[in-house]
Amino acid sequence: EKSFSSCTDSQKLHLLNGMQYYDDNESKSFFKMLKGLTIRGYKHSEHYHTITGFEFAPARYNGCVDIEQA
């Protein structure tokens, strides 16, 4: 046996894809949690927000605007 980190990328992908077909509930729930957390992590990344055009606080406050005196 070897550790997950020492596997090649194709071996890692093969292992992770095969996890969804396990019969026991513990392995299935682990795979479901791992997949959900991976997707959540990606959707909260700077890269994802950059490509989707996400703005954390729309309707920006511009505090450096000249004020005209009345």
Side-chain angles (χ1 to χ4, degrees), residues 11-35:
Q11 290 171 328
K12 290 176 185 177
L13 188 59
H14 179 73
L15 177 67
L16 291 173
N17 282 330
M19 287 179 75
Q20 63 186 326
Y21 301 112
Y22 285 172
D23 290 335
D24 62 300
N25 288 335
E26 187 175 323
S27 295
K28 281 186 176 184
S29 63
F30 173 76
F31 175 75
K32 186 176 181 180
M33 180 185 68
L34 179 66
K35 184 177 179 180

Side-chain angles (χ1 to χ4, degrees), residues 26-68:
E26 187 175 323
S27 295
K28 281 186 176 184
S29 63
F30 173 76
F31 175 75
K32 186 176 181 180
M33 180 185 68
L34 179 66
K35 184 177 179 180
L37 289 173
T38 302
I39 292 170
R40 182 178 181 181
Y42 176 70
K43 289 184 120 184
H44 287 84
S45 69
E46 181 180 356
H47 173 74
Y48 180 81
H49 289 258
T50 302
I51 61 173
T52 60
F54 176 80
E55 285 189 49
F56 183 72
R60 295 185 193 117
Y61 170 73
N62 296 322
C64 297
V65 178
D66 292 335
I67 299 176
E68 296 179 13

